[in-house]
Amino acid sequence: MIDASGAPFDLNTTASGILGRQDGEHQGFGTHGMPPQIENWRALRRLLAQAGQGLRIGGESWVTVPRACGAPLVLHTIPLGEPGSSAPNTVIILVDLRYSPRPTPSVLQKLFDLTPAEARLAIEIAGGRTLSETSVKMGLSNATLRTQLSAVFTKTQTRRQAELVALLTRVAILP
């Protein structure tokens, strides 16, 4: 959330992660010796400047910001409350097109009653891995993974990997 002047009011952990990746990963104190929150706020200000005239603070807009290291970053502004207030008046949704959202194993286990092994497989499939790649990564046979995948399809009421990926992408927003 930002105020009418574009100053950050609050950042959630997803936004902090995206902004941290803008300038390189940082943990503890950032790359410039400042706490990550301050660096994230500076990264947000730079991002807003890069977005330029297309970004409307206090109004709705969609802007893509090109990056040298891959797919652009998408910014979507949504107005809140009354213009001219000192309270937060705009939510900015950041979408990093380089990363696919993945659900957590615990969410998949709770929602669909998947076993831990089935949840891990579903997450690998959601990330775009094939059964063969997953077999190598997990050290399991293709036959074992096919059996697990069949159970995942049954429990999630999907029939194809594309349906499963679409479903898992939708539930990836859950904590």
Side-chain angles (χ1 to χ4, degrees):
M1 291 188 286
I2 59 173
D3 65 19
S5 70
F9 207 84
D10 191 23
L11 297 171
N12 66 18
T13 53
T14 301
S16 293
I18 291 170
L19 292 169
R21 289 191 297 266
Q22 286 295 102
D23 293 329
E25 299 292 334
H26 57 256
Q27 298 175 354
F29 276 84
T31 55
H32 298 94
M34 291 176 274
Q37 180 182 22
I38 293 172
E39 286 194 9
N40 285 339
W41 287 6
R42 287 183 176 184
L44 178 60
R45 283 199 174 274
R46 285 191 300 275
L47 190 59
L48 295 177
Q50 283 180 290
Q53 300 296 324
L55 188 76
R56 292 183 39 217
I57 295 174
E60 185 169 0
S61 62
W62 290 89
V63 177
T64 57
V65 177
R67 297 185 288 190
C69 56
L73 187 64
V74 177
L75 284 73
H76 179 206
T77 59
I78 301 171
L80 297 172
E82 296 298 316
S85 168
S86 63
N89 75 345
T90 304
V91 169
I92 299 177
I93 299 171
L94 304 176
V95 180
D96 191 340
L97 296 178
R98 293 181 298 180
Y99 295 93
S100 298
R102 293 185 187 174
T104 63
S106 62
V107 166
L108 296 180
Q109 289 172 271
K110 289 174 189 169
L111 288 178
F112 304 112
D113 198 30
L114 298 183
T115 66
E118 292 165 351
R120 284 190 301 273
L121 173 59
I123 291 167
E124 292 297 318
I125 297 295
R129 285 203 169 81
T130 65
L131 280 181
S132 296
E133 292 168 335
T134 304
S135 172
V136 170
K137 181 179 178 185
M138 296 178 136
L140 298 171
S141 72
N142 278 340
T144 298
L145 293 179
R146 277 193 294 275
T147 301
Q148 289 177 357
L149 185 57
S150 178
V152 170
F153 284 149
T154 300
K155 291 177 179 182
T156 60
Q157 299 179 1
T158 57
R159 294 178 186 211
R160 298 176 299 122
Q161 284 188 12
E163 287 178 88
L164 178 62
V165 170
L167 174 68
L168 296 176
T169 300
R170 289 191 301 271
V171 300
I173 64 168
L174 300 173

